[in-house]
Amino acid sequence: MKFSGLTIAIPREIMDHECRVAATPETVRKFTDQGATVLVESGAGAGSHFSDDDYRGAGAAIIPDAETLFSRADIILKVKEPILDTAAHRHETSLLKEGQILVSFLHPASPVNHDMVRALAKRGVTALTLDGIPRITRAQPMDALTSMSTVAGYKGMVLAASHLSRFIPMITCAAGTIQPASVLVVGAGVCGLQALATAKRLGAIAHACDIRRDAAEQAKSLGAKIVETGVPPEIATGDGGYAAHLSDEWLAKEREAITPAVIQSDIIVLSALVPGRIAPVLVTEEMVKSMKPGSVIVDISIDQGGNCALTDFGEISVKHGVTIIGIKNIPGSVPASSTWMFANNVYHFVSSFIDGGRVSLDRNDEIIASSLVTIGGELVHRGAIEAMALTGAKE
């Protein structure tokens, strides 16, 4: 059987307001039916409305504490990267041991995660990051980044609406007519397109920009007015159809091109990412200063550093009269839908490199090569290594 002899652990997520879990009773049953022993930390599924009894019914054993859970596992499936457990006065990386496999969103290029990534390497953990899975046909069932981007785009726009100090749709009342809000979405990938669709449903005037011609055309098909960036098509698109990494010169030109649209916007949703790299800064402090008081920025790219220079990591802040939302786990606020999507993606990903109870990580395989972060005590993720060099950090 595919998972024969392997113990798979599902810990409770400890990040603030994170309600997702890495496996549902449905995916647990798939693992156990194929020979795995599945351990679930007590309460792990509560935020997604799954009880311990639900997991027991699917064949899992319920473990009362994280330390015991981690110590017995061959493979640990998590939603978010290991963080400091303030209640237990320890970092989650300290629970991991040599030879264990960790599958999670690690965002290894993000500067705030560099120490965590180095700790994983030092402890001899084989770590794979879900945000590194390429957008190719073969990887579609395991593409958790796309799944969570769908959730983030929808909820990001809803968050912006809840913080905006005015109506989004045009409102006509006895006092007169209030014009609709103007929304700018920067980065028209899966997340950005979902944000645009939600903005249009709410009645906004929607604008979008993306350096990729195809992405801009998709945004246009949703009714968005396109803000041209001036980036030549031949340098705009990288592997797998993702946006390419731009030079500082072209980033400066892109910022200049979108500044007028930024100034006019009531809501800006930032979702511009380059896989495995620090997110490009596209909205500067001067641009924020030029926005209307009461405007809102939702920086969905914060896991990889953020697209706005003023975003506070994991926080909601007000700067120069603009509310800037930089919370990390937007999909975690829609736990029922996002957990179902995430758990199925993880199941398919793990199934791709395990057979007959044996783990086979072929580093020549495109999916493994782009998602592998640490192995054999070494940091091997190209984006993390490049980001550490840029920040002056040592591997």
Side-chain angles (χ1 to χ4, degrees):
M1 290 189 287
K2 180 175 282 290
F3 302 110
S4 180
L6 293 175
T7 298
I8 298 173
I10 315 297
R12 179 177 59 84
E13 299 293 325
I14 62 171
M15 181 178 289
D16 286 345
H17 310 298
E18 179 55 78
C19 295
R20 290 172 294 176
V21 62
T24 64
E26 178 186 1
T27 59
V28 165
R29 175 61 70 190
K30 291 179 180 180
F31 284 124
T32 58
D33 282 351
Q34 296 181 71
T37 296
V38 178
L39 310 177
V40 177
E41 185 177 357
S42 182
S48 296
H49 315 298
F50 298 119
S51 68
D52 289 351
D53 284 341
D54 291 333
Y55 286 108
R56 286 192 186 96
I62 303 301
I63 306 301
D65 64 283
E67 187 171 359
T68 302
L69 182 94
F70 277 74
S71 69
R72 293 172 55 183
D74 299 306
I75 302 169
I76 297 101
L77 307 181
K78 277 181 54 57
V79 178
K80 299 299 291 183
E81 70 272 19
I83 62 172
L84 177 67
D85 186 341
T86 54
H89 306 290
R90 68 186 175 209
H91 200 282
E92 285 183 300
T93 54
S94 68
L95 300 176
L96 290 154
K97 60 186 179 183
E98 184 175 359
Q100 285 182 320
I101 295 173
L102 171 67
V103 175
S104 181
F105 275 122
L106 296 173
H107 303 289
S110 179
V112 296
N113 289 333
H114 289 172
D115 286 344
M116 178 271 297
V117 169
R118 285 193 291 267
L120 292 175
K122 185 176 181 180
R123 299 188 74 84
V125 176
T126 298
L128 298 110
T129 185
L130 295 165
D131 57 292
I133 294 174
R135 190 166 290 164
I136 58 177
T137 300
R138 181 165 57 93
Q140 283 183 353
M142 59 189 80
D143 189 356
L145 184 60
T146 291
S147 295
M148 296 303 100
S149 293
T150 299
V151 182
Y154 161 77
K155 190 56 181 281
M157 184 56 66
V158 172
L159 279 171
S162 70
H163 283 83
L164 189 65
S165 58
R166 53 172 298 176
F167 291 123
I168 286 185
M170 183 172 69
I171 298 291
T172 300
C173 60
T177 298
I178 299 174
Q179 295 302 311
S182 179
V183 170
L184 172 65
V185 173
V186 181
V190 173
C191 178
L193 292 174
Q194 189 62 235
L196 281 172
T198 306
K200 292 294 289 183
R201 293 186 195 109
L202 291 172
I205 297 174
H207 298 76
C209 69
D210 197 295
I211 61 175
R212 299 164 297 173
R213 180 174 295 172
D214 288 348
E217 285 298 316
Q218 290 178 37
K220 186 176 181 180
S221 73
L222 291 175
K225 299 178 181 179
I226 304 304
V227 178
E228 298 292 342
T229 65
V231 178
E234 61 269 19
I235 68 170
T237 304
D239 295 338
Y242 287 101
H245 177 68
L246 298 181
S247 66
D248 291 342
E249 178 185 1
W250 278 112
L251 279 175
K253 290 180 179 180
E254 184 180 359
R255 284 191 286 264
E256 182 179 0
I258 70 173
T259 294
V262 168
I263 294 171
Q264 296 170 9
S265 297
D266 299 294
I267 292 173
I268 300 176
V269 175
L270 299 171
S271 60
L273 290 173
V274 178
R277 294 177 180 265
I278 299 174
V281 174
L282 299 175
V283 177
T284 65
E285 181 171 8
E286 289 303 313
M287 293 162 76
V288 174
K289 286 180 179 179
S290 69
M291 294 177 68
K292 291 173 283 189
S295 300
V296 178
I297 294 173
V298 183
D299 198 344
I300 296 175
S301 297
I302 191 60
D303 275 323
Q304 288 179 221
N307 293 142
C308 177
L310 296 185
T311 307
D312 288 328
F313 190 81
E315 303 292 337
I316 299 175
S317 57
V318 179
K319 297 181 180 180
H320 307 296
V322 177
T323 298
I324 304 175
I325 300 173
I327 58 178
K328 281 173 55 68
N329 56 345
I330 291 177
S333 63
V334 194
S337 297
S338 57
T339 285
W340 182 86
M341 298 163 76
F342 182 88
N344 280 287
N345 291 145
V346 168
Y347 170 78
H348 287 295
F349 180 53
V350 173
S351 296
S352 73
F353 61 79
I354 295 176
D355 193 32
R358 294 184 178 181
V359 176
S360 178
L361 295 172
D362 179 4
R363 294 173 65 175
N364 292 316
D365 178 85
E366 184 179 1
I367 296 172
I368 298 302
S370 60
S371 60
L372 191 62
V373 178
T374 62
I375 188 170
E378 295 183 18
L379 172 62
V380 298
H381 189 272
R382 184 181 66 179
I385 293 170
E386 291 177 357
M388 288 178 182
L390 286 173
T391 58
K394 294 181 180 180
E395 297 174 25

